[in-house]
Amino acid sequence: MSTTTTTSPSVVEVSVSGTPRRGAVSRFVGRLGSGTLQVILVLVALFWMVPVVGLMLVSLRSEADNTNSGWWTALLRPTELTLDNYRALIGNEAITQAFLNTVYISVPSTVLVVGIGALAAYALVWMDFPGRDWIMVAVVGLLVLPIQAALIPVSQLYGAMGVFGSITGVILFHVAFGLPFAVFLLRNFFVGIPRDLLEAARMDGASEWRIFRRVVLPVARPALASLAVFQFLWVWNDMLVALVFTSPESAPLTVALRSQLRQFGTNVDILASGAFLSMLVPLLVFFAFQRYFVQGVFAGSTK
């Protein structure tokens, strides 16, 4: 005969024999069933997609249709949908150049942060050198440094260097502020790699660079993909840094849309198409790396 102790209705019950029993939450999920739970999750996902669908429909409607009725009416009258807004957007040289500037800024900023962050994290975990612990403390301290505190000093530095108002300056700023988080994230992931795996490679005569390239990088692919997604989304959607450090010729899409807001006024159709184009690329990147992103998040939570 066994006795049972219960801490609270929502906590898992544990019997004397050591076998855990399902708590209230687990029983509730069990009553729902996997099919019902999946339906609920699908409904939640559809609810969160409503703004995206609304923005897409607004971008595919004319200005007169957007003024006279809501975007949801296009679901019943699909003949209202047109690509004229995107044709006008592509014909706008300021927007097309801003889109290219966004690519020129986002891709190098992401590649440099992931590459340099992986090298630094590997050195901090698997290489012994003086001051290694203090460097890690400095990295953690830089995580709490707000971007706003560095705008004026970096602006003065860029002015002295002659890179103020250029794409190079924006890339350097994003790399500098993205590296602390990259090193911290990858370092925590690299710590979980078995040491025996690296020692076996060293016994086979592999150099540190070969170990990093052939052993560590393949194992850390989910973490690298997660970091790449985070960094790319942050840089692509940034407006504060670009607004401060770019000129009209080097401004990305976020700054260009802001200037178009002043220029076009109430032309929601043009602004909606530009905003949806700006949002479409991050969505494609996220879905392309979704599998690795989820693996990296769960791997980081269990190490």
Side-chain angles (χ1 to χ4, degrees), residues 159-182:
M161 296 172 58
V163 296
F164 189 88
S166 65
I167 293 179
T168 303
V170 181
I171 293 175
L172 292 176
F173 192 95
H174 283 304
V175 171
F177 274 85
L179 278 177
F181 175 74

Side-chain angles (χ1 to χ4, degrees), residues 10 35 60 65 74 105 111 141 151 192 231 245 282 291:
S10 60
L60 293 173
D65 292 334
I105 293 173
V111 173
L151 293 178
Q231 179 68 13
F245 294 110
R291 179 167 60 93

Side-chain angles (χ1 to χ4, degrees), residues 39-272:
V39 171
I40 295 176
L41 293 177
V42 169
L43 292 177
V44 172
L46 292 176
F47 177 78
W48 281 103
M49 288 295 293
V50 168
V52 178
V53 175
L55 181 62
M56 180 187 68
L57 293 178
V58 170
S59 67
L60 293 173
R61 303 176 74 210
S62 64
E63 182 182 3
D65 292 334
N66 287 322
T67 303
N68 296 328
S69 60
W71 60 266
W72 51 88
T73 58
L75 298 175
L76 301 177
R77 297 195 295 266
T79 55
E80 295 181 352
L81 304 181
T82 177
L83 295 177
D84 292 340
N85 298 333
Y86 288 95
R87 295 190 185 98
L89 189 70
I90 295 175
N92 190 329
E93 294 183 0
I95 294 295
T96 54
Q97 183 59 45
F99 181 83
L100 293 177
N101 292 338
T102 309
V103 176
Y104 298 153
I105 293 173
S106 301
V107 174
S109 299
T110 303
V111 173
L112 289 174
V113 166
V114 173
I116 299 174
L119 290 170
Y122 177 84
L124 290 173
V125 174
W126 301 113
M127 300 179 66
D128 294 327
F129 56 89
R132 184 181 66 173
D133 295 337
W134 287 107
I135 293 178
M136 192 61 206
V137 172
V139 169
V140 175
L142 290 173
L143 287 173
V144 300
L145 179 65
I147 293 178
Q148 293 81 356
L151 293 178
I152 295 178
V154 174
S155 299
Q156 296 174 347
L157 178 62
Y158 281 1
M161 296 172 58
V163 296
F164 189 88
S166 65
I167 293 179
T168 303
V170 181
I171 293 175
L172 292 176
F173 192 95
H174 283 304
V175 171
F177 274 85
L179 278 177
F181 175 74
V183 174
F184 179 78
L185 177 67
L186 295 179
R187 187 259 179 193
N188 292 339
F189 188 89
F190 288 172
V191 168
I193 299 177
R195 181 178 294 271
D196 296 341
L197 189 63
L198 278 70
E199 293 297 335
R202 291 191 179 97
M203 292 179 63
D204 291 338
S207 61
E208 294 294 337
W209 169 248
R210 189 177 182 86
I211 294 173
F212 173 76
R213 186 166 54 92
R214 294 294 184 89
V215 178
V216 175
L217 289 185
V219 174
R221 189 178 302 172
L224 296 174
S226 300
L227 175 61
V229 171
F230 278 124
Q231 179 68 13
F232 183 84
L233 294 181
W234 176 49
V235 177
W236 184 276
N237 296 320
D238 169 74
M239 188 176 70
L240 175 62
V241 176
L243 192 63
V244 174
F245 294 110
T246 59
S247 61
E249 294 76 17
S250 60
L253 195 55
T254 52
V255 178
L257 289 176
R258 177 180 176 274
S259 63
Q260 295 294 324
L261 179 63
R262 295 198 306 267
Q263 178 179 350
F264 287 105
T266 59
N267 282 19
V268 181
D269 49 347
I270 300 295
L271 296 174

